[in-house]
Amino acid sequence: MADTNNIPHEDGLDHSLNLLREGYMYILNRRRSFESDVFETRLLGKKAICMGGKEASEVFYDPDKFKRNGAAPKRAVETLFGKNGVQTLDGEAHRHRKQLFMSLMTPERLQILRDITEKQWDSALSQWEQMEQVVLYEDVQILLCRVACEWAGVAIKEDEVKKWTKELAALFEAAAGVGPMHWLGRNARNHVEQWIQELIEMVRDHKLVSSENTALHKFAWHRDINGELLDIETAAVEVINILRPIVAISIFINFIALAVHHYPEETKKLKNGDGKFAEMFIQEVRRYYPFFPFAAAMVKKDFTWNGFNFEEGTLTLLDLYGTNHDPKIWDNPDVLNPERFAGWEGSPFSFIPQGGGDYFMGHRCAGEWVTIEIMKVSLDYLANRKDFEVPDQDLSYSMVSIPSIPHSKVILQHVKRGM
Ligand code: HEM
């Protein structure tokens, strides 16, 4: 391990394989061994900088220093993101598109989302009571697909719910996949894009009435900064940017179930609470368990920070998981402790499970409030409103596979409606 350009760097031609082998821990392991929050490596054949921690996150989210266009790996664009979505935009074009995303997140729209989520949990419970066992990950995805479509104004035929749930899930399950997994993800993207493009065309041709405040309606009629309607492909990519991640909340819901099962003392505190502890519990689930490992950007123009030189065009990864487990920020970061959020003052740069910085000006997740609301409703059902048994199974989860999902996908049996 030598030191050039004053950034500690990993020797060797390429470390993409190490990244695959070490997954969520890749950046954190090196931040520890270099005793530095910034280091240089080589990924996908090119120089790359990795960094983590609060200060690094502040720099990463400075739009004068980093840009997004060209930062996402081609594989992720082909599966997870789609082409020309908000993730790839910079400057005024980004702000204009992001404004539309954020206009979907009003208190009224979030209340509608909570109501839909409760309705879907009730209806799922009625079905689960008739079943011997439920595979939570899979059944919650179906529930969330219904929530996502209803909230976004996307009509879905009852006999196609399972099919579209699987296709939407394939988009994020394949994000870091190689070989057949990647191909499944690409196929799913083609199918889902075609489905949503047809709906957008129908809205524009007035053959489908869409409710005004829904994502489908807003993206169908959105005009870019030049006053032009979005092309149909891009409008569909953005509607899918709402549907896909809502289905992905199934991963956090699996981790809620794990936390409820593994930490009964914490779960007891949820009973008859005023909602404050539930919120702390959710925040701790989002901090503690692995989900999005890092965010990627490109250095916009040469700059120096803390004596380190960042060269224009260098791929830079911000360690999201590692920042949420940084001992400089969190006491005993590897212990699940919702109480840590009791007096938490909040910081857009130190607690970053869904990215950091400003929602409107930067690339922080547009759906963070949606995620928290759906998680709160789901926690209430899992902890307070139903009884179930957890049979013997492998509840462990990988720190390498991205995304990480408990190996058994959380099997529940003899589900009954609770008090
Ligand atoms: C399931 C849990 C979720 C996780 C872990 C998550 C995580 C993230 C992360 C890490 C980013 C990128 C931040 C960056 O590049 O700096 C992001 C961006 C984004 N997320 Fe989420 N997200 C989730 C749910 C959602 C939901 C429910 C929605 C929509 C309803 C959503 C919509 C978006 C959009 C549109 C962006 C792009 C924002 C931009 O580029 O300006 N996400 N998310």
Side-chain angles (χ1 to χ4, degrees):
M1 290 179 184
D3 190 342
T4 59
N5 183 26
N6 59 18
I7 300 188
H9 83 271
E10 253 192 312
D11 290 330
L13 287 179
D14 197 83
H15 296 280
S16 310
L17 268 179
N18 297 73
L19 178 62
L20 280 180
R21 275 194 214 111
E22 294 173 51
Y24 291 94
M25 297 304 290
Y26 172 79
I27 302 181
L28 199 50
N29 286 342
R30 279 153 192 77
R31 283 171 61 202
R32 283 176 185 155
S33 62
F34 285 122
E35 295 183 3
S36 168
D37 280 342
V38 185
F39 67 91
E40 191 183 299
T41 184
R42 291 188 68 80
L43 298 172
L44 303 172
K46 287 193 190 137
K47 183 172 106 175
I49 292 176
C50 298
M51 54 189 200
K54 182 167 178 274
E55 285 189 344
S57 152
E58 277 166 13
V59 175
F60 184 85
Y61 283 105
D62 179 345
D64 291 334
K65 296 196 167 62
F66 287 95
K67 61 177 185 159
R68 296 308 178 100
N69 200 320
K74 191 164 163 272
R75 289 174 161 273
V77 173
E78 286 167 346
T79 54
L80 189 65
F81 299 138
K83 288 198 189 97
N84 303 324
V86 64
Q87 293 91 342
T88 65
L89 302 179
D90 291 298
E92 196 41 42
H94 173 261
R95 277 192 286 280
H96 184 71
R97 185 90 58 87
K98 190 66 176 287
Q99 172 70 41
L100 182 59
F101 273 97
M102 299 316 294
S103 75
L104 298 166
M105 312 298 168
T106 59
E108 296 74 36
R109 291 298 299 160
L110 291 175
Q111 183 56 50
I112 291 172
L113 178 76
R114 274 193 295 274
D115 294 343
I116 297 173
T117 309
E118 288 208 4
K119 182 182 76 180
Q120 291 301 344
W121 264 103
D122 276 333
S123 143
L125 267 187
S126 304
Q127 280 184 27
W128 297 355
E129 281 181 315
Q130 315 301 319
M131 293 156 65
E132 175 72 17
Q133 286 195 333
V134 170
V135 180
L136 191 70
Y137 181 63
E138 288 168 4
D139 287 276
V140 161
Q141 283 189 342
I142 294 176
L143 182 166
L144 292 173
C145 178
R146 292 182 198 276
V147 171
C149 289
E150 186 172 342
W151 190 64
V154 168
I156 183 165
K157 293 186 191 131
E158 185 50 40
D159 60 351
E160 292 190 349
V161 171
K162 278 195 181 154
K163 168 187 145 140
W164 290 123
T165 302
K166 273 201 177 341
E167 303 265 29
L168 285 164
L171 301 181
F172 58 84
E173 288 171 349
V178 285
M181 194 63 191
H182 178 69
W183 280 100
L184 274 179
R186 279 181 68 163
N187 270 335
R189 178 150 283 282
N190 289 340
H191 297 157
V192 176
E193 285 191 3
Q194 210 179 344
W195 170 42
I196 302 299
Q197 284 173 20
E198 280 167 18
L199 293 181
I200 289 170
E201 253 165 349
M202 285 165 72
V203 172
R204 288 189 180 171
D205 293 343
H206 303 283
K207 290 182 182 153
L208 180 72
V209 182
S210 57
S211 163
E212 254 187 33
N213 293 321
T214 59
L216 182 70
H217 183 93
K218 288 207 173 195
F219 281 110
W221 296 113
H222 180 62
R223 291 184 183 272
D224 64 18
I225 37 175
N226 302 317
E228 305 287 335
L229 281 180
L230 290 181
D231 59 69
I232 296 235
E233 290 78 12
T234 306
V237 161
E238 299 300 32
V239 173
I240 297 165
N241 259 335
I242 297 288
L243 302 179
R244 179 202 68 246
I246 291 183
V247 176
I249 300 172
S250 52
I251 296 181
F252 271 149
I253 294 178
N254 252 25
F255 285 132
I256 292 178
L258 230 57
V260 164
H261 180 61
H262 283 150
Y263 301 91
E265 289 308 313
E266 300 300 332
T267 305
K268 260 192 223 153
K269 299 182 199 166
L270 291 163
K271 299 247 182 242
N272 311 319
D274 59 358
K276 180 88 187 72
F277 189 75
E279 182 135 356
M280 285 151 55
F281 194 98
I282 293 300
Q283 297 297 54
E284 183 65 345
V285 166
R286 294 196 312 130
R287 185 198 70 82
Y288 179 79
Y289 293 102
F291 197 153
F292 239 82
F294 47 75
M298 295 279 220
V299 178
K300 194 168 168 185
K301 51 180 190 245
D302 292 359
F303 70 92
T304 303
W305 173 68
N306 273 357
F308 300 132
N309 297 329
F310 288 71
E311 274 173 41
E312 182 177 338
T314 308
L315 174 68
T316 305
L317 304 184
L318 175 69
D319 188 8
L320 302 181
Y321 176 81
T323 302
N324 292 335
H325 288 256
D326 188 334
K328 282 187 262 175
I329 305 173
W330 310 98
D331 287 338
N332 298 320
D334 296 326
V335 172
L336 183 135
N337 173 21
E339 298 286 352
R340 71 172 77 246
F341 281 98
W344 187 66
E345 285 174 0
S347 153
F349 299 108
S350 56
F351 176 47
I352 51 173
Q354 297 181 226
D358 184 72
Y359 293 104
F360 291 83
M361 303 300 283
H363 286 270
R364 184 175 189 149
C365 175
E368 194 161 12
W369 305 327
V370 166
T371 308
I372 292 172
E373 291 311 322
I374 290 183
M375 286 177 77
K376 277 202 256 178
V377 173
S378 305
L379 172 63
D380 189 32
Y381 276 87
L382 283 165
N384 302 328
R385 291 165 77 167
K386 75 187 180 82
D387 293 324
F388 51 82
E389 292 159 19
V390 181
D392 274 352
Q393 59 189 293
D394 182 1
L395 288 171
S396 65
Y397 55 91
S398 163
M399 288 303 290
V400 173
S401 309
I402 299 171
S404 175
I405 299 156
H407 289 118
S408 65
K409 299 183 176 175
V410 185
I411 298 167
L412 307 181
Q413 75 187 17
H414 304 138
V415 176
K416 292 265 170 305
R417 218 171 275 267
M419 291 303 109

